Amino acid sequence: MKTFLEPLTPEEEKAFVERYQKGDEKAKDILIERNLRLVAHIAKKYYSENRESEDLISIGIIGLIKAVNTYNPTKGNRLVTYASKCIENELLMMLRGEKKKNREISLNEPIGMDKEGNTISLIDVIENDEPDALKRMENAEDVTRVKQYVEGILTPREREIIIKRYGLDGNEPLTQKKVGAFMGISRSYVSRIEKKALHKLKKAFDNSYKV
């Protein structure tokens, strides 16, 4: 565990802010260094098994640097108060990005080849808006085949994960984290099982397109 320097007193903070705003870059470094404990304290709220503490602190430091760069003492708040908000905002932005990424279901994972030898993915067979009637028929065939393979070649646990992840039961697709919570297993374990299941589906599709 890192040992951080003691935070600045209000008087010290004011003095270093004044020095920095007059162009003293060393004062800026001190303002950052003496507020690293604040970063660690705020980042602690967001620790989880899927996030490294060092990564969270790094993100928090970005917020702290932004705070030091944009702080305006004439607005009445102390730097430490303003920095807390900036650090929190930076971490929340990271979490929103993480959440968005988790929601982007990996429907582009290849699961086989089409009749022309092109790679086909779950998005191709489940959510294709192609208006051409023949294409719709081919995709309908593939959807049926996907469901048959899911039922026939996957283990019960693999089947449950794939169905929940990709909404094959007609419900909304779930993130790996939500699937894990529902099944009582970790997100990383869900990811491993999902990859194995998709590999099985890909192999089945490859074989089905062989003449």
Side-chain angles (χ1 to χ4, degrees), residues 106-109 111 120-128:
S106 55
L107 289 175
N108 290 314
E109 181 76 26
I111 59 172
I120 193 168
S121 62
L122 282 174
I123 192 68
D124 294 323
V125 301
I126 294 171
E127 293 182 354
N128 194 292

Side-chain angles (χ1 to χ4, degrees), residues 191-204:
S191 178
R192 288 198 297 274
I193 295 173
E194 181 183 341
K195 284 178 183 176
K196 185 177 179 182
L198 288 172
H199 178 74
K200 286 184 179 180
L201 292 173
K202 179 182 185 302
K203 188 174 180 181

Side-chain angles (χ1 to χ4, degrees), residues 170-186:
N171 293 318
E172 285 292 316
L174 300 178
T175 64
Q176 290 178 343
K177 188 174 181 180
K178 286 186 177 179
V179 172
F182 184 88
M183 298 178 67
I185 57 179
S186 69

Side-chain angles (χ1 to χ4, degrees), residues 147-160:
K147 290 180 177 178
Q148 287 173 346
Y149 292 156
V150 167
E151 289 298 321
I153 68 175
L154 300 184
T155 67
R157 176 165 278 188
E158 289 169 344
R159 188 183 310 127
E160 185 175 4

